[in-house]
Amino acid sequence: MAVTITGFEVKDIRFPTSLTGAGTDAMNVDCDYSAAYVALHTSSSLSGYGMTFTIGRGTEVVCQAIELVVQRVLGKEVEELFADMGKTWTMLIGDSQLRWIGPEKGVIHIATAAVDNALWDMYARSRHKPLWKLVADFTPEEFVRSTAFRYITDVLTPEEALQMLKSKEAGKKDREKLVRDIGYPAYITSAGWLMYDDEQVARLTKEAIGRGFNHFKMKVGADFSNDLRRAKLIRSIIDDPANLAPGKQIDPASIAGKNAGPTGSVLMMDANQVWDVQEAIDYVTKLAETKPWFIEEPTAPDDILGHAAIRRTLKPLGIGVATGEHAHNRMVFKQLLQAEAIDVCQIDSCRLAGVTEILGVLLMAAKFGIIVCPHAGGVGLCEHALHLSLIDYLCVSGTMERNVLEYADHLHQHFINPVTLNSNGRYNVPNDPEAGYSTHMKDASFEEFGFPNGAYWRSVAEGNPKEVEL
């Protein structure tokens, strides 16, 4: 008997990370890392779990939008959905009245991400493979059928994508063995949140070096003198040979063109959209002595030509431009690439409308020769993004030589299949055949942090907040 989608649950979960300063930056000073979460259930024991990342208030609005989008898949046979995920995605965004309140951006789009992510999670679970392995085992034709191409065919046609994928087939098994052996390269953000004091920044940076990291990102943009001091502090630690992890070997190719210091360590900066274009140019130019590899989100995420102007001006200083975590659809990425506006493409697994849309962005970035380093500084984003980086490496770009995937230390314990790192500061490859997209959260986490009725939030409403460990 055919398996059909019979029901769903939508949940709002919020973690009070604003209490610790985790996640703070120049634009977002009181982040409570949160998620709008959906579980899809079927006529069998098969379920799928998806989410989209938020930072507190407004999550209830996304949950309401998910309840509308998910109606599109109720009663559908799962194998028909899985057979053509590109067609399924088009159906998900195809309600003209819901599309009107985007179109393909904003709340309705990130709600669609949660549903599409849940479908992909279900698909992988149905085949008893982690998501990255499900896609890596696709034929090129299956990969193309699973990709959203509408509005990007002026840059990349399905036929061109098929040839790109076929060209990477020969070395796929060798690449899979390599990444299983050594892990996927990571960089750390957790040491550089804006509200951390110097003592905490120094301690966390040294700890990160000891864990094998050699790429470090800090938040900037609130106060120049503070930023310069903190950048010099981080540089003094990561450039000091005495702080190197014993026996640490760095591949010169992995840091080529990244403004690396004498120990091979790389510093990155993230402004989280606070500047106008000329302001960004002037501010980062004054920070150039600290030799950042790139400035992330230097201006409004929709300003394609502004990013291009910033990139042109900063390029002689050896400083690149990265953006994408707030690029709300594949068309924005298409234009960023066409305008030569970025050096690093930063897809977000919950801002774009799920895996299906992301596959097209991976293909476009590979065509333009731009590396993909996903945004993962939020609850569940590391768990998502690792699968996407593995898909990019194995199927699309065929390289992880210069790529690094963001890592933040927070909230992994709330997932049934959390990401882990090896001693060289690299992500371990997920191997659990029942893990799907690694997005299934623990029931106990909802009991504690579900909003507004979880134990923690009830204690806040009663005026006696519980102490929590995040």
Side-chain angles (χ1 to χ4, degrees), residues 101-210:
I101 59 174
E104 296 187 44
K105 56 179 164 293
V107 170
I108 201 68
H109 210 54
I110 62 176
T112 303
V115 180
D116 189 66
N117 288 339
L119 287 173
W120 276 100
D121 179 70
M122 182 185 289
Y123 188 0
R125 290 173 187 277
S126 76
R127 302 305 192 260
H128 304 289
K129 296 178 181 181
L131 177 77
W132 70 265
K133 181 62 172 168
L134 171 77
V135 179
D137 287 346
F138 279 178
T139 65
E141 289 80 6
E142 289 174 316
F143 193 111
V144 167
R145 280 203 305 276
S146 300
T147 303
F149 284 99
R150 189 179 191 181
Y151 301 140
I152 65 171
T153 55
D154 54 322
V155 161
L156 182 76
T157 65
E159 294 76 20
E160 186 177 9
L162 184 63
Q163 293 308 309
M164 289 172 62
L165 293 162
K166 285 182 175 180
S167 73
K168 293 295 187 290
E169 281 290 287
K172 191 189 293 184
K173 291 189 183 301
D174 290 338
R175 292 195 295 276
E176 182 176 330
K177 181 180 185 306
L178 177 63
V179 75
R180 285 183 182 275
D181 288 344
I182 68 173
Y184 193 89
Y187 74 83
I188 192 161
T189 298
S190 302
W193 299 121
L194 196 70
M195 297 303 178
Y196 287 178
D197 60 31
D198 288 2
E199 181 181 354
Q200 190 171 11
V201 168
R203 175 177 58 81
L204 292 172
T205 302
K206 289 176 182 177
E207 289 177 1
I209 293 171

Side-chain angles (χ1 to χ4, degrees), residues 247-251:
K248 177 71 173 180
Q249 299 291 322
I250 296 173
D251 179 5

Side-chain angles (χ1 to χ4, degrees), residues 368-410:
F368 280 83
I370 297 298
I371 62 172
V372 177
C373 302
H375 170 242
V379 59
L381 296 188
C382 294
E383 280 70 22
H384 286 79
L386 177 55
H387 290 269
L388 304 174
S389 287
L390 290 169
I391 291 167
D392 177 55
Y393 169 54
L394 294 170
C395 304
V396 183
S397 69
T399 181
M400 59 176 172
E401 188 173 73
R402 297 183 67 245
N403 303 62
V404 279
L405 169 57
E406 184 171 19
Y407 178 79
D409 274 317
H410 316 296

Side-chain angles (χ1 to χ4, degrees), residues 4 8 12 28 31 38 54 68 74 76 91 96 100 169 179 197 199 202 228 282 327 382 392 399 441 443 467:
T4 60
F8 66 93
D12 180 335
N28 306 294
C31 304
V38 62
T54 56
L68 296 173
L74 289 181
K76 298 288 196 299
M91 177 270 294
S96 61
W100 183 266
E169 281 290 287
V179 75
D197 60 31
E199 181 181 354
L228 183 61
D282 295 342
C382 294
D392 177 55
T399 181
M441 295 185 77
D443 289 342
E467 289 190 13

Side-chain angles (χ1 to χ4, degrees), residues 224 271 275-288 295 298-299 305-317 319 321:
F224 176 76
W275 300 316
D276 281 1
V277 171
Q278 189 58 48
E279 188 180 11
I281 291 168
D282 295 342
Y283 201 106
V284 178
T285 298
K286 291 190 292 183
L287 289 170
I295 181 64
T299 193
L305 298 183
H307 279 86
I310 294 167
R311 183 181 184 231
R312 283 194 303 272
T313 308
L314 295 181
K315 190 171 185 178
L317 300 175
I319 302 172
V321 169

Side-chain angles (χ1 to χ4, degrees), residues 345-364:
C345 174
Q346 293 178 306
I347 54 172
D348 183 283
S349 54
C350 297
R351 177 71 57 179
L352 295 173
V355 176
T356 308
E357 185 171 31
I358 285 168
L359 296 181
V361 177
L362 295 180
L363 286 160
M364 287 192 292

